[in-house]
Amino acid sequence: MITQTDITVFVKKYNAEKRMNETTAVYIKNASWYEKFQSALTDGGFRADNVVKIRIPSELDFDMEKGNRVAKGKCSECPKDALTILSVGDNRRGSKNMWHWAVTAK
């Protein structure tokens, strides 16, 4: 898998002791980031968005979930322009060199 960027995933976990969600920044050194422009004609009119496809090597061990946030580069705090993860796919099949998590964010 070709990787060209670093990313930070902001993982939310519920802390039962504090009775609230806590966010942890997970820095990932090698990831693939592909941005594309999508448009659609809906009942409400024309809608256009940038959609990002991210491929993350699967050897990392943390909970990747819909609703978490992701930003390009190394960040300690979640930036305002961080994207929201819409879907996570488990692509651990075929050659082990190609195993990865497929993430869609907007």
Side-chain angles (χ1 to χ4, degrees), residues 13-89:
K13 284 196 177 186
Y14 183 72
N15 183 330
E17 198 172 283
K18 293 182 180 178
R19 298 175 58 176
M20 61 185 288
N21 283 328
E22 291 181 334
T23 303
T24 304
V26 178
Y27 174 66
I28 300 167
K29 192 170 184 175
N30 295 312
S32 170
W33 183 285
Y34 173 73
E35 231 171 301
K36 72 177 184 174
F37 183 76
Q38 273 186 330
S39 60
L41 190 57
T42 65
D43 291 341
F46 182 75
R47 200 174 116 202
D49 279 318
N50 280 335
V51 176
V52 176
K53 301 280 186 177
I54 305 165
R55 305 276 190 267
I56 301 170
S58 66
E59 65 265 4
L60 301 169
D61 186 27
F62 68 96
D63 294 328
M64 182 78 73
E65 293 179 355
K66 180 179 172 181
N68 286 344
R69 310 266 292 163
V70 63
K72 216 173 193 181
K74 188 173 187 175
C75 310
S76 56
E77 302 267 330
C78 188
K80 290 183 181 183
D81 63 346
L83 303 173
T84 302
I85 294 175
L86 302 176
S87 67
V88 178

